[in-house]
Amino acid sequence: MREGVSLTSDSMTKYIAFLRGINVGGRKMIKMAELVRLLTAAGFKNVRTFIASGNVIFDASQKDSAALAAKIEKTLLKGLGFEVRVVVMSLDQLKAITKRNPFKRVKPSDDVMLFVTLFSSELKPKPKLPLDSAPDNLEVVSVTDGAAFMIAHRKKTGWFEFPNNFIEKKFGLTATTRNWSTLVKIVAMDEG
């Protein structure tokens, strides 16, 4: 078995598709039942969603994450009539990210949020860290395994800045961002 590939019955690999920018601000609205229906019809197995922000867990025999993302994007464009960018990771890749946990030394508080931005392609070259965005109160503390790990501090307005636009602009690639706790819960679902 290749490292980083988790096998289920019938040599299937468990993946998570992270959809970018859906169900936010009334734009690109997708019902999770419709998402499951579309991806099941496209041949993916054991399709299920986790919260309405576009996290889809599924099994596939295909071993190429980029090819899976392209297939899902094409399926969604055809089925929904609008483009949705997708990042696909194997469950083993996601487990490795959560196990490495670059946030171990961060003290949780009401004024701190932890985010992970997942990249659509490999980042080259890796940036010099830490990387800050003072206007956004964001700090990139690690970049590894196809992801950037950020600490967001509450702004004077009382809000937190969502880091996806900052990361895409800084690194020049498509990405999608999730709360750290969301990724931990997806991994826990498999282990529980």
Side-chain angles (χ1 to χ4, degrees):
M1 174 168 47
R2 284 188 305 146
E3 187 176 319
V5 176
S6 119
L7 298 180
T8 58
S9 62
D10 302 318
S11 296
M12 298 284 243
T13 301
K14 189 174 296 284
Y15 290 97
I16 300 88
F18 298 96
L19 283 60
R20 182 187 183 281
I22 68 157
N23 298 344
V24 177
R27 293 184 310 249
K28 294 189 178 180
M29 300 304 292
I30 304 173
K31 292 186 186 233
M32 294 301 101
E34 178 67 0
L35 188 54
V36 169
R37 186 192 69 71
L38 287 169
L39 295 186
T40 300
F44 297 105
K45 306 294 181 202
N46 304 314
V47 180
R48 60 194 167 137
T49 61
F50 179 74
I51 64 177
S53 60
N55 308 296
V56 185
I57 303 159
F58 65 95
D59 295 334
S61 57
Q62 166 71 258
K63 304 299 181 209
D64 182 347
S65 294
L68 289 167
K71 181 177 180 179
I72 293 169
E73 287 174 354
K74 188 182 223 181
T75 298
L76 296 177
L77 180 59
K78 184 178 179 184
L80 301 170
F82 55 83
E83 187 176 280
V84 177
R85 297 302 308 260
V86 178
V87 174
V88 173
M89 297 187 118
S90 73
L91 179 61
D92 280 351
Q93 288 173 305
L94 192 58
K95 284 180 179 181
I97 286 172
T98 59
K99 185 176 181 181
R100 188 166 288 115
N101 187 0
F103 298 122
K104 290 176 190 169
R105 294 191 175 133
V106 177
K107 187 173 182 175
S109 80
D110 290 341
D111 294 325
V112 172
M113 286 186 78
L114 307 177
F115 291 107
V116 180
T117 299
L118 307 167
F119 303 135
S120 61
S121 57
E122 191 173 337
L123 179 64
K124 291 183 182 180
K126 288 196 176 180
K128 195 174 201 175
L129 299 176
L131 180 64
D132 297 326
S133 171
D136 299 325
N137 266 1
L138 296 171
E139 178 184 5
V140 180
V141 295
S142 179
V143 176
T144 187
D145 299 326
F149 301 84
M150 286 150 297
I151 300 170
H153 299 276
R154 188 178 301 276
K155 296 168 75 170
K156 289 180 182 178
T157 61
W159 295 91
F160 290 95
E161 188 68 36
F162 193 69
N164 205 78
N165 291 339
F166 166 70
I167 292 295
E168 286 186 334
K169 185 177 179 183
K170 191 71 177 173
F171 299 140
L173 48 79
T174 299
T176 188
T177 299
R178 298 296 185 272
N179 285 319
W180 173 249
S181 61
T182 298
L183 301 187
V184 170
K185 287 174 186 173
I186 290 170
V187 168
M189 285 173 52
D190 182 66
E191 294 172 346

